[in-house]
């Protein structure tokens, strides 16, 4: 097992990464105060891992809430089901919520923990690659609104993250690729050496080589933990973690939550950010081709949905959380591993990027 630390003073916490962690009760029990524990999961993950998770918690006053599976259920209504369960059990401020699942379960459970009785503890047990490399770390929690992705939420850090890499064995290939999109993101943001490693080792990741997967998860968590420690509430550098997200969230919102996987939308969004950076003269043709190649080799989409148009993109992108004073702010790149936040790009080139990608998508 490898343990990394998210360094946030009194709110610091460990990220444990390794195999067989769902059989190690001490990891989780040492982070639970009091006796009340609620495990939140969904109807896909419950048959796979709930029993083992409950065994870790033997002896506590345990409740479980099993939510419907899917991004389309990442809503205030679903969040309310967690509150119903907590209140029915008369759970107090000393309770701990355990998120057993992917990013959807982690984000909903974290937000429930942030707001139940003005804040209780929670623990992340991420079971998708995307959740193990990204969503379980850093304390962003929340739900979607029909008009905007992740628009209702709070920053609330977990007590610990337990990433058992064995859980990835039951993940389907499409979900694995969606997680690889976020892994590639770290290379593009500020880790060119990791990007080179990913180019050399992508086929191992795709075939679930355990050493390659462990390395990718550890490096991703290390890169994310460093950024979160520097800027927990996204006053500056943390915004870089949103590379591809302004375009990607527009795709998720525009196509209806759950149609495109989050990682797929981010893949397409990262290529659009790369293309705009290239049109600006900041990102070379070679860097653009390398970005497109690695995303395509990971079986990720690089073209937007044909059901959308440029106006729809701009409309949805205008309600992004990074925007200030109604100006779209994007994460762009001045090379692989050299991302930066900008509202100082040519909007004509943004429109060109959208229309070029959309017409390529139309042509198939
Ligand atoms: P997800 O939570 O929907 O999980 C993907 C699918 O895999 C689901 O059907 C799930 O039930 C299933 N699943 C989960 N673990 C499994 C396992 N071990 N075996 C088999 N099936 C399994 O999607 P995701 O990709 O994990 O997360 C995407 C969500 O995360 C989005 O809502 C996104 O906004 C959010 N996100 C949040 C942050 C953050 O910082 N909080 C960062 C990135 C993404
Ligand atoms: N996934 C973006 C962030 O955690 O800031």
């Amino acid at each position: 097992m490898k343990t990394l630390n998210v360094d946030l003073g009194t709110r610091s916490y460990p990220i444990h990464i390794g195999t067989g962690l769902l059989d190690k009760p001490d990891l989780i029990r040492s982070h639970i105060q009091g006796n009340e524990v609620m495990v939140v999961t969904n109807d896909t993950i419950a048959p796979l891992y709930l029993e083992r998770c409950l065994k870790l918690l033997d002896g506590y006053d345990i409740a479980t809430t099993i939510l419907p599976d899917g991004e389309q259920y990442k809503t205030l209504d679903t969040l309310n089901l967690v509150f119903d369960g907590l209140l029915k059990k008369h759970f107090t401020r000393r309770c701990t919520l355990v998120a057993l699942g992917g990013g959807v379960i982690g984000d909903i459970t974290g937000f429930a923990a942030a707001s139940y009785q003005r804040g209780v503890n929670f623990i992340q047990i991420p079971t998708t690659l995307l959740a193990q490399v990204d969503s379980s770390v850093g304390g962003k929690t929340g739900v979607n609104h029909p008009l905007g992705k992740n628009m209702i939420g709070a920053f609330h850090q977990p007590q610990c993250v337990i990433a058992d890499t064995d859980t990835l064995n039951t993940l389907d290939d499409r979900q694995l690729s969606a997680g690889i999109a976020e892994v590639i993101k770290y290379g593009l943001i500020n880790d060119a050496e990791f990007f080179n490693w990913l180019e050399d080792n992508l086929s191992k990741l795709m075939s679930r080589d355990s050493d390659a997967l462990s390395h990718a998860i550890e490096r991703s968590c290390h890169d994310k933990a460093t950024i979160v420690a520097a800027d927990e509430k996204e006053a500056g550098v943390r915004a870089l973690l949103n590379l591809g997200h302004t375009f990607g969230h527009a795709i998720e919102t525009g196509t209806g939550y759950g149609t495109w996987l989050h990682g797929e939308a981010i893949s397409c969004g990262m290529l659009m950010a790369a293309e705009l950076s290239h049109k600006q003269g900041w990102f070379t043709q070679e860097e653009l081709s390398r970005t497109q190649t690695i995303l395509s080799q990971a079986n990720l989409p690089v073209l937007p949905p044909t059901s959308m148009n440029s106006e729809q993109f701009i409309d949805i992108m205008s309600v992004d959380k990074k925007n200030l004073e109604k100006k779209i702010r994007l994460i762009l790149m001045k090379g692989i591993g050299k991302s930066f936040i900008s509202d100082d790009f040519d909007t004509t080139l943004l429109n060109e990027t959208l229309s070029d990608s959309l017409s390529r998508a139309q042509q198939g």
Side-chain angles (χ1 to χ4, degrees):
M1 179 179 84
K2 178 102 179 196
T3 299
L4 306 174
N5 192 47
V6 184
D7 197 358
L8 288 170
T10 53
R11 281 168 296 103
S12 297
Y13 55 94
I15 309 168
H16 302 296
I17 303 162
T19 63
L21 305 194
L22 280 183
D23 298 316
K24 292 190 194 311
D26 289 352
L27 287 182
I28 187 165
R29 295 173 83 96
S30 58
H31 292 282
I32 298 173
Q33 315 166 339
N35 196 41
E36 301 162 348
V37 183
M38 173 180 279
V39 180
V40 182
T41 189
N42 72 26
D43 47 19
T44 302
I45 301 152
L48 296 168
Y49 300 111
L50 182 58
E51 203 180 308
R52 269 167 80 195
C53 183
L54 294 180
K55 209 163 151 220
L56 297 174
L57 300 166
D58 206 21
Y60 289 99
D61 180 7
I62 306 172
T64 55
T65 297
I66 300 178
L67 303 176
D69 183 10
E71 183 74 34
Q72 66 274 31
Y73 295 108
K74 192 176 157 183
T75 60
L76 285 169
D77 284 346
T78 309
L79 175 72
N80 224 6
L81 299 176
V82 182
F83 297 139
D84 290 348
L86 290 165
L87 288 164
K88 276 186 195 148
K89 281 285 280 182
H90 298 181
F91 272 8
T92 67
R93 269 198 178 148
R94 293 261 294 166
C95 73
T96 297
L97 272 57
V98 175
L100 175 69
V104 170
I105 288 295
D107 282 10
I108 296 176
T109 309
F111 190 32
S115 42
Y116 184 64
Q117 301 201 14
R118 302 202 176 89
V120 299
N121 286 347
F122 88 112
I123 289 170
Q124 290 270 19
I125 305 187
T127 61
T128 61
L129 179 61
L130 186 140
Q132 295 188 354
V133 299
D134 191 351
S135 61
S136 64
V137 175
K140 277 191 182 175
T141 73
V143 296
N144 300 327
H145 186 280
L147 297 180
K149 171 92 181 145
N150 293 337
M151 276 291 158
I152 322 289
F155 285 98
H156 189 59
Q157 301 294 341
Q159 303 308 113
C160 74
V161 179
I162 301 171
D164 185 333
T165 51
D166 290 341
T167 58
L168 303 181
N169 294 334
T170 53
L171 205 59
D172 68 34
D173 288 343
R174 187 177 169 203
Q175 297 289 352
L176 187 82
S177 287
I180 291 175
E182 300 278 17
V183 173
I184 293 169
K185 182 186 79 175
Y186 294 109
L188 289 170
I189 289 173
N190 67 357
D191 195 347
E193 191 186 295
F194 186 36
F195 190 90
N196 294 342
W197 181 89
L198 287 167
E199 288 182 315
D200 293 342
N201 290 278
L202 189 72
S203 57
K204 287 190 187 162
L205 286 182
M206 301 285 286
S207 61
R208 299 172 195 243
D209 175 282
S210 62
D211 289 342
L213 272 175
S214 296
H215 176 75
I217 295 167
E218 285 164 25
R219 182 78 167 234
S220 300
C221 286
H222 167 273
D223 287 356
K224 179 153 187 182
T226 306
I227 290 179
V228 169
D231 177 23
E232 180 185 6
K233 298 211 170 153
E234 202 166 304
V237 69
R238 184 166 180 169
L240 300 180
L241 292 171
N242 291 314
L243 173 65
H245 282 53
T246 311
F247 297 103
H249 283 172
I251 294 173
E252 289 187 87
T253 308
T255 51
Y257 301 123
T259 310
W260 278 50
L261 301 182
H262 176 71
E264 293 172 341
I266 296 319
S267 166
C268 180
M270 290 193 293
L271 196 70
M272 289 171 124
E275 282 186 8
L276 175 54
S277 304
H278 174 61
K279 285 181 193 292
Q280 290 278 168
W282 298 330
F283 204 64
T284 65
Q285 180 60 51
E286 192 224 348
E287 289 167 324
L288 183 60
S289 304
R290 284 173 68 193
T291 307
Q292 173 155 2
T293 300
I294 194 166
L295 294 170
S296 301
Q297 284 174 347
N299 288 337
L300 286 161
V302 289
L303 292 174
T306 49
S307 58
M308 288 183 70
N309 58 46
S310 297
E311 293 70 38
Q312 205 182 354
F313 263 98
I314 295 290
D315 190 40
I316 304 174
M317 287 164 76
S318 304
V319 283
D320 188 78
K321 291 189 291 304
K322 287 184 295 303
N323 297 346
L324 294 176
E325 290 154 16
K326 308 231 174 219
K327 238 177 158 185
I328 294 178
R329 295 208 303 162
L330 295 171
I331 311 305
L332 299 174
M333 291 176 283
K334 291 197 170 166
I336 285 172
K338 293 184 188 154
S339 65
F340 66 105
I341 184 156
S342 172
D343 60 10
D344 190 21
F345 52 83
D346 185 337
T347 47
T348 316
L349 295 181
L350 170 61
N351 288 325
E352 253 180 43
T353 302
L354 291 169
S355 55
D356 287 359
S357 312
L358 284 160
S359 63
R360 281 208 309 279
Q362 299 285 358
Q363 286 155 19

